[in-house]
Amino acid sequence: QRPDLAAAMPGVAGLLTVPLSDDGDALTFFRGDVTREVVWLGDQSAANRADPLSPRRSFSAWRESVVGRSTPWGVHERDARDLAEAIREALARRRDAELAELAHHDPLTGLHNRRYLDDHLASLADADGDVALIFLDLDDFKLVNDRHGHETGDAVLTAVGRRLAACARATDVVARLGGDEFLIVLSDTSGAAAQGVADRALEALGEPIVVAETIVAVTASAGVVAGPARDAARDLLDEADAAMYRAKRAGRGRLSA
């Protein structure tokens, strides 16, 4: 309890503080001032008597208001500590969940990363139906970094990630594999439908990207493959990679299946 803090707050006579962390976070409870009126029935000390067996000389009574006190916390103190412990545990679980989420996302683009992608593709091993993969690689992206600097290059990659996410469906997984390579995983999708998504993605990436006052033009090559979901982790990723390189050999901004 912190009566020193309570004294600095008008109308508050009781204050209970329970720490939540070592950083100074705390759970604080307040109780208002309880005003009580006490009736005193005269002076009952020996000074008000002729001798110990004599009656009191005066029986004058008076009233006095007692302030600056709150009702005792009693069992509520234990309840407050239990609540604080529950909050600490909830905060710890949230921090763990946030760290796990960060571990599966690319810090630059906010897309899923290679670690998440590997887990996702492995999870498709027991899935039914088909899955399609779109493997995209920016064409000559090294020139962007060389001409405009890595800060501009990072901004371009971030814009590319946003455009790819906008072209994908809500159920698709868009990931940055690293560098300037991206992958879109489309569940329950035919190869023809995936090519439609890839066409939209290539068209979107072909639009100029403005970074500060710099206009950057990029294109991408894409490889599209589709097959049984159970083959996604084992074969389809390699096939999509090979298809992308076939497109790149054919020229800039091409699509190969």
Side-chain angles (χ1 to χ4, degrees):
Q1 301 189 31
R2 296 290 303 276
D4 56 323
L5 295 180
M9 304 179 66
V12 174
L15 186 147
L16 176 64
T17 301
V18 184
L20 291 176
S21 70
D22 295 335
D23 297 329
D25 297 327
L27 187 64
T28 303
F29 299 86
F30 302 90
R31 276 190 169 173
D33 189 14
V34 176
T35 302
R36 294 179 297 171
E37 194 168 80
V38 179
V39 178
W40 297 93
L41 298 178
D43 184 2
Q44 300 184 43
S45 68
N48 196 30
R49 302 173 188 271
D51 58 66
L53 297 180
S54 298
R56 285 181 289 169
R57 296 190 181 98
S58 172
F59 289 87
S60 299
W62 71 92
R63 296 176 182 273
E64 181 181 14
S65 293
V66 179
V67 297
R69 297 289 186 273
S70 70
T71 55
W73 292 97
V75 296
H76 298 301
E77 182 175 352
R78 179 69 264 171
D79 294 339
R81 297 187 185 280
D82 290 342
L83 176 60
E85 180 61 28
I87 292 175
R88 282 193 291 267
E89 292 176 357
L91 291 174
R93 289 194 298 270
R94 187 176 71 176
R95 285 193 296 269
D96 291 343
E98 290 173 348
L99 289 174
E101 184 75 5
L102 289 174
H104 287 91
H105 283 78
D106 174 53
L108 177 63
T109 63
L111 299 176
H112 293 298
N113 59 14
R114 184 60 183 260
R115 179 178 177 181
Y116 176 89
L117 182 66
D118 290 342
D119 292 343
H120 179 65
L121 293 178
S123 71
L124 296 176
D126 298 325
D128 296 326
D130 291 338
V131 64
L133 273 63
I134 305 173
F135 199 120
L136 299 107
D137 182 89
L138 300 184
D139 298 321
D140 298 323
F141 183 71
K142 183 178 182 297
L143 296 178
V144 175
N145 286 326
D146 292 343
R147 291 173 181 171
H148 306 291
H150 287 278
E151 185 174 345
T152 297
D154 287 347
V156 169
L157 290 174
T158 302
V160 167
R162 287 197 300 267
R163 294 184 182 187
L164 293 180
C167 293
R169 306 169 305 176
T171 56
D172 298 336
V173 171
V174 184
R176 181 189 179 204
L177 300 180
D180 57 353
E181 294 182 336
F182 299 84
L183 188 77
I184 304 176
V185 182
L186 308 92
S187 300
D188 297 322
T189 304
S190 66
Q195 288 189 35
V197 175
D199 285 335
R200 292 200 303 272
L202 292 181
E203 182 178 358
L205 296 183
E207 294 293 327
I209 297 173
V210 179
V211 180
E213 298 180 355
T214 302
I215 299 176
V216 181
V218 297
T219 60
S221 300
V224 180
V225 297
R230 61 179 177 272
D231 294 336
R234 185 175 64 252
D235 300 322
L236 292 182
L237 183 57
D238 290 338
E239 292 178 14
D241 187 17
M244 182 274 295
Y245 275 106
R246 288 197 299 271
K248 194 173 286 290
R249 286 194 295 270
R252 297 169 62 92
R254 300 297 183 88
L255 171 65
S256 176

